[in-house]
Amino acid sequence: ETGVTQTPRHLVMGMTNKKSLKCEQHLGHNAMYWYKQSAKKPLELMFVYNFKEQTENNSVPSRFSPECPNSSHLFLHLHTLQPEDSALYLCASRSTGYSNQPQHFGDGTRLSIL
Amino acid sequence: AQTVTQSQPEMSVQEAETVTLSCTYDTSENNYYLFWYKQPPSRQMILVIRQEAYKQQNATENRFSVNFQKAAKSFSLKISDSQLGDTAMYFCALNTGFQKLVFGTGTRLLVSP
């Protein structure tokens, strides 16, 4: 039990499809994150939500649309993606009480764009 | 801007031996936190160890310890008595603020029998 659950684990989609990634955390945290992990590149922070409010959008293309209905759930809606969007998408959560609190990660969704 | 550099893309070590993974960082902040995360083939990013910059004492967690050199902005990870299960990608990360972690590119560690 990781505390942060991501579904689906794998996703293959065409460039014209619409799909969503889901993240759920059972840790009582109030901050949630989306990261993109590509081969041989540092993890790229995409979005940050704090108490359901988006506090960071790291210049992410509009074909990625996040949604945070409550502090436990985070979605990433995908539409008209490009081949370079193929990557591992990681969700994380964190308690914002103290800066030394680590982020807890899910297992990620491996996304492949055809 | 904050940056994290891991200059060793890959390392190998034999079981039971000791290995040290390097990490350097840059920040203008005086108060920050450093982390080492492990990502095995199962993909989940797992926290290995953390260090508060205001603490001079190096953090230790069982077989894992760090050598934190604040003046040199260096934060290396030492794994003692390496085990096969230590095979993974290891990421160094810096947290200077309330929200954001900055990660290095990672070091792939292979532990062989």
Side-chain angles (χ1 to χ4, degrees):
Chain A
E1 176 59 52
T2 66
V4 180
T5 305
Q6 289 188 244
T7 54
R9 191 165 170 82
H10 302 273
L11 178 62
V12 179
M13 57 187 286
M15 289 192 285
T16 58
N17 291 155
K18 290 184 182 180
K19 296 286 184 183
S20 295
L21 310 185
K22 180 182 176 182
C23 176
E24 183 175 2
Q25 58 97 1
H26 313 276
L27 301 169
H29 292 163
N30 43 39
M32 296 189 77
Y33 305 76
W34 278 117
Y35 288 91
K36 176 183 179 182
Q37 186 177 23
S38 305
K40 299 181 180 177
K41 293 175 71 174
L43 267 74
E44 300 172 56
L45 179 65
M46 300 175 73
F47 301 103
V48 180
Y49 277 82
N50 198 20
F51 292 97
K52 302 189 301 177
E53 299 298 320
Q54 187 181 122
T55 54
E56 182 102 13
N57 177 339
N58 205 23
S59 302
V60 180
S62 59
R63 58 186 184 269
F64 295 91
S65 174
E67 179 190 1
C68 189
N70 54 62
S71 292
S72 298
H73 293 85
L74 185 64
F75 295 89
L76 187 63
H77 304 299
L78 315 173
H79 174 51
T80 320
L81 295 192
Q82 304 299 310
E84 61 265 28
D85 297 325
S86 296
L88 180 68
Y89 288 84
L90 291 167
C91 173
S93 71
R94 176 177 175 267
S95 171
T96 56
Y98 298 95
S99 292
N100 67 344
Q101 293 301 305
Q103 293 182 16
H104 295 254
F105 288 81
D107 288 348
T109 294
R110 175 74 64 189
L111 176 64
S112 299
I113 306 300
L114 300 179
Chain B
Q2 289 83 35
T3 60
V4 176
T5 302
Q6 293 179 251
S7 58
Q8 304 154 314
E10 293 185 358
M11 293 195 72
S12 297
V13 65
Q14 289 201 304
E15 212 173 358
E17 291 186 346
T18 295
V19 64
T20 299
L21 309 183
S22 300
C23 173
T24 58
Y25 61 92
D26 192 24
T27 178
S28 57
E29 301 289 329
N30 198 40
N31 191 25
Y32 51 89
Y33 302 87
L34 293 158
F35 303 87
W36 277 98
Y37 280 89
K38 166 186 176 181
Q39 188 180 37
S42 64
R43 305 184 332 203
Q44 189 197 0
M45 198 81 75
I46 303 165
L47 178 68
V48 175
I49 199 165
R50 79 180 89 171
Q51 174 81 42
E52 287 90 345
Y54 63 85
K55 289 187 177 178
Q56 291 187 338
Q57 187 173 8
N58 289 325
T60 62
E61 288 285 343
N62 301 314
R63 298 182 295 107
F64 299 88
S65 61
V66 298
N67 183 4
F68 174 48
Q69 302 289 327
K70 190 172 183 178
K73 294 183 178 176
S74 170
F75 182 60
S76 60
L77 174 69
K78 185 171 84 170
I79 306 174
S80 304
D81 186 25
S82 297
Q83 301 176 358
L84 296 178
D86 295 333
T87 292
M89 282 289 291
Y90 286 82
F91 293 93
C92 179
L94 167 69
N95 179 12
T96 59
F98 206 50
Q99 304 270 31
K100 297 169 65 171
L101 273 178
V102 176
F103 285 86
T105 51
T107 296
R108 186 178 303 280
L109 177 66
L110 175 63
V111 181
S112 54

